[in-house]
Structures are given as structure tokens and as C-alpha cells.
């Protein structure tokens, strides 16, 4: 009898990015992208959206771009402790044992590595914050929408995140991309088959399509034009506008992400055609420049830098 998933993930909480241009990127996400700085230290910065998460993005200065960490929310410390025991049943070792997290925002949590060396954090009781824009008027990101990761083995990645983390596959884009959910959002993680593991892009959700377009307008006024978009994807039905931060990492504005009704949703395999990658027909197919940015650089995983 196989071990059960380790927990019920409530939401994608935050992502940490290792960046070759931490200071410049921090200024970009704060002054242009629309996030709010909540803390900073030498070589690191923490930024929040307008929602209730303490922070959605942490940047760390590094010699090369890489994923630092993905954080998911659990409900209680007891769920964190139970997840630790179930990870052991799956044969997954812990990088950080359950306990109070010594980090900005605090919380109670644990950390482990996935099969490609990505650091995953499960946490509860992270410091609460008051929503920064309770009426949703500003054209700024509300929350982290999804993280897209390049993988050398999309089937193995999906198997781990579904079997161990209990995520569900919402859709496929042929056998090239898989979209995984942990709540009603169509996807919070997506995997893209590639020649090496790396960060593909990070998406931030805007309150509405109006906020989405006004955000793109603000970037344009700051001399930053989209790498790709605006448009609307087939899988997930979400709007998209992709940009590059000062380190070359790809960030996306999105809105109107499809909501999944568990008992009614049918997983679909989408064809990879320009008409389905952009239902509006406004963006055209992704260019070589976009694909190059999304390809990224090989990520050696947490063991190459953790506690170094």
C-alpha cells in the first residue's frame, strides 16, 4: 500500500529567487512591478503583494540565477508535524526539521528537496499582514499566481508532486507542459520539459483584466515592454504579459485564472499551436528571445548553495 500525500496544501505562498542583480531587481519589483518591500538585509530583499501574505517574493544575491525556494501554506503546525512523518514514509529526507522558522516572516514549518534538488518549504502561522489595498484599486499584484519550472523529466516531476504533495494535474500542453493545482486555481506550479532544470518564469496575479492592462501600461511608461503579450492562454484561460527583470528572470502579469470545480473538471491535453497558446491572437507565438529567457541557466539545486 503506497503512502498517502503528506498534507493538504492550502496555497502557493512565496518564492525565493537567487539573482545576479538583487539590488537592481529589488528596485524593479518595488518601483515598477508594484510589489511593496517589507524587509531588506545585505544581499536580500522581501516583497509583498496587496494580499494577506507576509511576502510573495524574496530575492537573494547570487553568482547565477536560480530557484532558492518554493513555499506552500499549510493550515496548522500540527499539519506540518504530520507532513514530516509522511515525508519519512515516502523516503524523503528533511533539510529543515519541523519547528519555528528563523527567517523574515517567521512561521512554523519544514523544508525538503524534490528529486531535482529544488528546496520546498511547508509552513503555517507565518506573520499576518493587513491587506495593502483592501479595495483593490491599485494596478499592483495581489498574490503569487504560479511558478513554472523547467525539468529534465516531466513525468517524474509530476509523479512526485502529485503522489507526495497531493497536487492534481489540471491540464497538459501536449507532453511538453503540465499544469498542477493545490486549490481551486487552475495551476500554481507548472512543469516544462527541458534539457536542464531551471526557472522558467514566475507569475503574479492582478485583481482583474483592467488591473492587468493598467499594470502593463505602467511598465510601458517606465520603458519596459513585454517580451510576449498581452494575450490569453488556452490552458488555464489566464491573461499573460511576460517581462524580464534586470537579472533576466522572467516575470508575468496574469489575471482571470480558471477556477477548478473538483467534481466537474476534466483534465485536457491541449495542442501546442499559436491559436491555443494565445486565444486572443494578439501576441503571436513566443519569439526566440522569449524562449531563451524562459530557458534560463542550469540550476544545480539547493545543495550547491544551502548553508554555504
Amino acid at each position: 500500500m503506497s503512502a498517502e500525500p503528506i498534507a493538504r496544501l492550502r496555497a502557493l505562498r512565496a518564492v525565493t529567487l537567487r539573482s545576479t542583480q538583487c539590488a537592481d531587481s529589488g528596485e524593479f519589483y518595488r518601483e515598477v512591478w508594484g510589489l511593496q518591500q517589507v524587509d531588506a538585509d545585505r544581499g536580500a530583499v522581501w516583497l509583498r503583494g496587496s494580499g494577506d501574505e507576509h511576502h510573495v517574493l524574496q530575492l537573494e544575491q547570487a553568482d547565477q540565477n536560480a530557484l532558492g525556494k518554493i513555499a506552500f501554506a499549510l493550515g496548522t503546525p500540527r499539519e506540518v508535524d504530520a507532513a514530516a512523518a509522511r515525508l519519512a514514509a515516502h523516503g524523503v529526507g528533511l533539510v529543515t526539521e519541523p519547528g519555528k522558522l528563523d527567517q523574515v516572516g517567521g512561521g512554523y514549518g519544514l523544508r525538503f528537496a524534490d528529486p531535482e534538488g529544488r528546496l520546498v518549504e511547508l509552513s503555517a502561522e507565518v506573520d499576518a499582514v493587513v491587506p495593502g489595498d483592501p479595495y483593490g484599486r491599485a494596478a499592483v499584484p495581489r498574490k503569487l499566481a504560479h511558478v513554472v519550472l523547467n525539468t529534465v523529466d516531466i513525468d517524474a516531476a509530476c509523479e512526485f508532486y502529485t503522489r507526495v504533495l497531493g497536487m492534481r494535474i489540471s491540464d497538459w500542453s501536449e507532453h511538453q507542459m503540465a499544469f498542477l493545482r493545490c486549490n481551486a486555481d487552475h495551476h500554481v506550479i507548472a512543469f516544462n520539459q527541458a534539457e536542464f532544470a531551471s526557472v522558467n518564469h514566475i507569475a503574479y496575479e492582478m485583481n482583474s483584466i483592467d488591473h492587468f492592462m493598467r499594470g502593463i501600461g505602467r511598465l510601458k511608461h517606465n520603458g519596459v515592454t513585454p517580451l510576449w503579450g498581452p494575450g490569453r492562454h488556452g490552458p488555464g484561460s489566464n491573461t499573460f504579459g511576460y517581462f524580464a527583470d534586470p537579472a533576466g528572470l522572467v516575470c508575468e502579469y496574469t489575471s482571470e485564472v480558471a477556477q477548478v470545480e473538483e467534481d466537474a473538471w476534466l483534465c485536457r491535453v491541449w495542442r501546442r499551436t499559436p491559436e491555443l497558446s494565445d486565444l486572443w491572437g494578439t501576441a503571436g507565438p513566443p519569439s526566440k528571445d522569449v524562449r531563451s529567457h524562459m530557458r534560463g541557466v542550469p540550476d544545480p539545486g539547493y545543495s550547491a548553495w544551502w548553508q554555504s
Side-chain angles (χ1 to χ4, degrees):
M1 181 176 174
S2 60
E4 63 180 308
I6 62 172
R8 182 170 73 86
L9 306 184
R10 307 301 178 97
L12 176 64
R13 169 163 274 155
V15 65
T16 299
L17 296 176
R18 292 174 60 77
S19 170
T20 59
Q21 301 290 331
C22 181
D24 290 344
S25 292
E27 181 179 6
F28 167 80
Y29 285 108
R30 183 178 65 248
E31 303 297 333
V32 181
W33 195 249
L35 300 180
Q36 179 184 349
Q37 184 172 306
V38 293
D39 208 335
D41 198 354
R42 186 171 60 182
V45 61
W46 290 260
L47 302 116
R48 62 169 293 191
S50 64
D52 58 5
E53 284 291 350
H54 177 273
H55 64 274
V56 298
L57 174 64
Q58 177 186 352
L59 297 172
E60 298 177 339
Q61 181 63 38
D63 293 333
Q64 72 172 59
N65 293 336
L67 179 71
K69 181 181 69 181
I70 310 171
F72 294 98
L74 297 189
T76 65
R78 181 174 292 182
E79 291 179 22
V80 173
D81 292 338
R86 290 171 182 156
L87 279 166
H90 282 280
V92 179
L94 295 179
V95 174
T96 302
E97 296 286 338
K100 292 184 177 180
L101 296 170
D102 183 16
Q103 62 182 15
V104 171
Y108 185 96
L110 59 78
R111 302 185 186 102
F112 61 93
D114 77 4
E116 288 183 289
R118 305 178 189 92
L119 194 63
V120 178
E121 178 180 287
L122 307 180
S123 59
E125 295 188 345
V126 171
D127 290 350
V129 295
V130 176
D133 181 24
Y135 298 104
R137 293 170 178 164
V140 298
R142 182 172 70 89
K143 68 173 185 175
L144 191 63
H146 57 260
V147 175
V148 177
L149 302 166
N150 295 321
T151 176
V152 299
D153 190 336
I154 195 169
D155 294 314
C158 290
E159 196 273 340
F160 181 85
Y161 277 74
T162 55
R163 178 178 58 87
V164 177
L165 293 180
M167 302 184 81
R168 284 84 68 197
I169 298 176
S170 297
D171 282 313
W172 288 86
S173 178
E174 296 187 1
H175 197 238
Q176 179 65 39
M177 290 191 72
F179 302 88
L180 285 74
R181 67 186 186 274
C182 68
N183 51 29
D185 289 342
H186 178 270
H187 59 287
V188 297
I189 295 287
F191 288 105
N192 177 62
Q193 180 67 43
E195 59 187 304
F196 50 75
S198 62
V199 177
N200 185 288
H201 71 269
I202 310 297
Y204 302 82
E205 184 178 297
M206 307 294 270
N207 275 330
S208 70
I209 194 168
D210 179 72
H211 293 79
F212 165 81
M213 291 303 296
R214 287 195 287 126
I216 290 176
R218 181 179 63 248
L219 266 74
K220 182 178 179 181
H221 293 154
N222 280 275
V224 183
T225 56
L227 292 172
W228 187 31
R232 184 184 289 277
H233 287 313
S237 190
N238 52 298
T239 63
F240 67 86
Y242 295 94
F243 300 81
D245 73 13
L249 289 161
V250 179
C251 47
E252 176 191 4
Y253 278 156
T254 190
S255 66
E256 299 187 346
V257 178
Q259 297 298 290
V260 171
E261 184 179 346
E262 287 293 341
D263 294 337
W265 188 267
L266 294 176
C267 179
R268 174 179 175 183
V269 179
W270 293 75
R271 291 181 297 115
R272 294 180 65 80
T273 65
E275 295 80 8
L276 296 178
S277 66
D278 175 23
L279 298 177
W280 288 347
T282 55
S287 67
K288 289 184 179 179
D289 185 43
V290 174
R291 294 186 183 280
S292 176
H293 276 86
M294 290 183 173
R295 180 174 181 264
V297 296
D299 188 339
Y302 91 97
S303 61
W305 54 265
W306 180 255
Q307 296 180 337
S308 60

